Amino acid sequence: MGLLVVSAALSGCSSGRDAGRPDVLLITIDTLRADFVHSYGFAVETTPRIDGLAQRGVLFEMAIAASTATAPSHASIMTSRYVREHTVGSLNGATRLEGIETLADSFREAGYDTAAFVSNVVLKARSGLDRGFDHYDDELPESEANRLMYFERVGADTVARARAWLEKPRETPFFVWVHLQDPHGPYTPGEPWSELAPEVPLRTDRALPVLSVNRGRGGIPHYQALPGVRRGPRYAGLYAGEVARTDAQVGELVDAAERATTSGLVIALTADHGESLDEDGFFFQHGHTASPEQAQVPLVIVAPQLPTRRIAGVVSHVDLAPTLLELASLDPLPHQSGISLVPFMREGRPLPPRAVLSDVGHEIGAYDAEGYWTIKVFGEGLDWQRYQRDGRGFRKVDEPKLPSDIDRYLAREVEPVPARAMSDQDLERLRALGYLPPDPN
Ligand SMILES: [Zn+2]
């Protein structure tokens, strides 16, 4: 393996540009519901830069996140495997990716200069998501407002780091993954973003209680609470403001990557999951269900020689790695669960019939062309409900049997691997915040 890596890297150094491989920019936005992007139907034009990508690339109307929690979702993007097929499993922040080849491995072995810039504590290098990256920037100098132990970095700072890296002269193509955190709660976009869509109507318009827990059933989760703000539509408006602010950061990043590229640029933009905004009585939360408001994410791909189109069929995070590798003329990952979307983007033919999965451990969503299933998992037991597409929404239908490919998925589970130890610096920060017993020394 070591020898193979070295020889691939050497050939990449000498011929990376000659081979004509494109540069690749992967942007993942935390907690971005598809329907808060204007080109996915959001009424206010808060996302001109993402919409600009959609206008010159391919927009997938029904892209499903492999999980509605951050770390497992990103592990599926990087490995093209569903949650029960990788070692992060459905735990968020306590487990790590181990022993599975990633998208970044493939790019690095092909001679690419690889870098990642992340902004959420569960994506730190201890998660194993640093695998395949020559440079992994997970410095998180801030804390969430109501959960000081949740370290993070605002998008502007993450983008500044990524831009500086992109500006370095290099002889090889680059693969850069940038994760932007800002739409994740609490929703504090600041000016001018907070007034772009001051309120977004929700089912409930009354003042909501602030809950002592983070689940968000029937009220404002503790971690989301903003001083003096109680009405749901205002929270949703501030969320739209965070999306708008992030859109501007996306623009800066795309501009920097376009200045840096010399051999053509592939851009893929998606989110790790969505967010509940009063669906089934859940507010401002994710990672609890696999239903559409949490599982459906934007997915836009721009690449040289790709036509502009919108694709209606269901696609998944696990399709991203096969697609990006094919766009760079590289071999697929071994044991991938996704498919390359390149032929469908190029030729516009219909996607194959299949169900794609969104798995949060205790609940699995399986999405197909006609609707979706939610499958609740209780130890060895299962309980499911089928929803059929009905106009723009879905309605419950009786369905006595699960499809056999979902049964096969449920029958397997890779053993999760614990995350690596926290850095001394992070432990020290936690101690200073009072979260761990003080060091006896
Ligand atoms: Zn997330």
Side-chain angles (χ1 to χ4, degrees), residues 29-32 68-71 73-74 92 120 122-123 179-181 184 271-274 286:
I29 301 175
D30 216 289
T31 320
L32 177 54
T68 62
T70 306
S73 173
H74 281 94
N92 197 23
N120 182 315
V122 302
L123 302 180
H179 162 267
L180 299 172
Q181 170 79 351
H184 189 285
D272 60 347
H273 49 75
H286 54 265

Side-chain angles (χ1 to χ4, degrees), residues 68 276 282 286-295 358 360 362-363 376:
T68 62
S276 283
F282 277 97
H286 54 265
H288 292 293
T289 79
S291 46
E293 69 281 1
Q294 295 193 22
S358 186
V360 273
H362 61 276
E363 184 169 314
K376 294 198 190 304

Side-chain angles (χ1 to χ4, degrees), residues 208-211 215-221 281-284:
L208 297 167
V210 175
L211 307 173
R215 197 165 156 74
R217 185 190 279 282
I220 301 161
F282 277 97
F283 291 88
F284 322 137

Side-chain angles (χ1 to χ4, degrees), residues 186-431:
Y187 313 139
T188 52
E191 298 300 335
W193 318 108
S194 60
E195 302 306 322
L196 286 184
E199 296 203 345
V200 177
L202 302 183
R203 288 176 178 80
T204 308
D205 193 22
R206 61 182 161 75
L208 297 167
V210 175
L211 307 173
S212 58
V213 294
N214 286 328
R215 197 165 156 74
R217 185 190 279 282
I220 301 161
H222 174 73
Y223 85 102
Q224 288 277 15
L226 298 170
V229 187
R230 293 292 174 269
R231 287 183 50 257
R234 180 57 178 152
Y235 275 88
L238 290 167
Y239 172 67
E242 290 277 27
V243 174
R245 178 167 74 156
T246 305
D247 182 80
Q249 296 157 3
V250 166
E252 280 189 40
L253 199 53
V254 167
D255 291 345
E258 282 175 340
R259 282 193 300 272
T261 192
T262 55
S263 59
L265 180 64
V266 172
I267 304 168
L269 179 143
T270 191
D272 60 347
H273 49 75
E275 182 89 320
S276 283
L277 296 175
D278 200 7
E279 286 85 5
D280 297 323
F282 277 97
F283 291 88
F284 322 137
Q285 185 53 289
H286 54 265
H288 292 293
T289 79
S291 46
E293 69 281 1
Q294 295 193 22
Q296 196 199 341
V297 288
L299 174 61
V300 176
I301 297 176
V302 178
Q305 277 101 50
L306 265 191
T308 295
R309 64 172 99 241
R310 294 174 73 103
I311 294 183
V314 177
V315 299
S316 165
H317 271 167
V318 297
D319 301 330
L320 254 171
T323 301
L324 295 179
L325 291 171
E326 184 172 351
L327 286 170
S329 308
L330 296 174
D331 290 337
L333 290 169
H335 313 299
Q336 63 188 27
S337 288
I339 58 169
S340 169
L341 302 174
V342 172
F344 310 99
M345 295 194 291
R346 288 221 168 106
E347 295 149 31
R349 58 186 155 103
L351 286 151
R354 58 177 178 153
V356 305
L357 305 172
S358 186
D359 184 349
V360 273
H362 61 276
E363 184 169 314
I364 296 167
Y367 290 78
D368 57 32
E370 286 83 41
Y372 69 99
W373 308 75
T374 54
I375 304 143
K376 294 198 190 304
V377 182
F378 313 95
E380 297 296 301
L382 293 178
D383 188 13
W384 63 81
Q385 177 63 55
R386 173 75 177 164
Y387 296 83
Q388 203 84 36
R389 193 176 290 284
D390 184 6
R392 286 180 64 84
F394 296 94
R395 66 183 166 84
K396 282 186 182 181
V397 292
D398 285 334
E399 194 67 65
K401 208 169 172 309
L402 282 176
S404 56
D405 50 345
I406 299 175
D407 268 339
R408 274 196 300 279
Y409 176 72
L410 290 166
R412 65 173 301 177
E413 185 144 28
V414 174
E415 192 67 32
V417 173
R420 292 193 287 259
M422 292 179 82
S423 69
D424 289 345
Q425 191 192 11
D426 283 347
L427 284 170
E428 193 48 52
R429 285 173 72 192
L430 286 174
R431 279 194 199 96

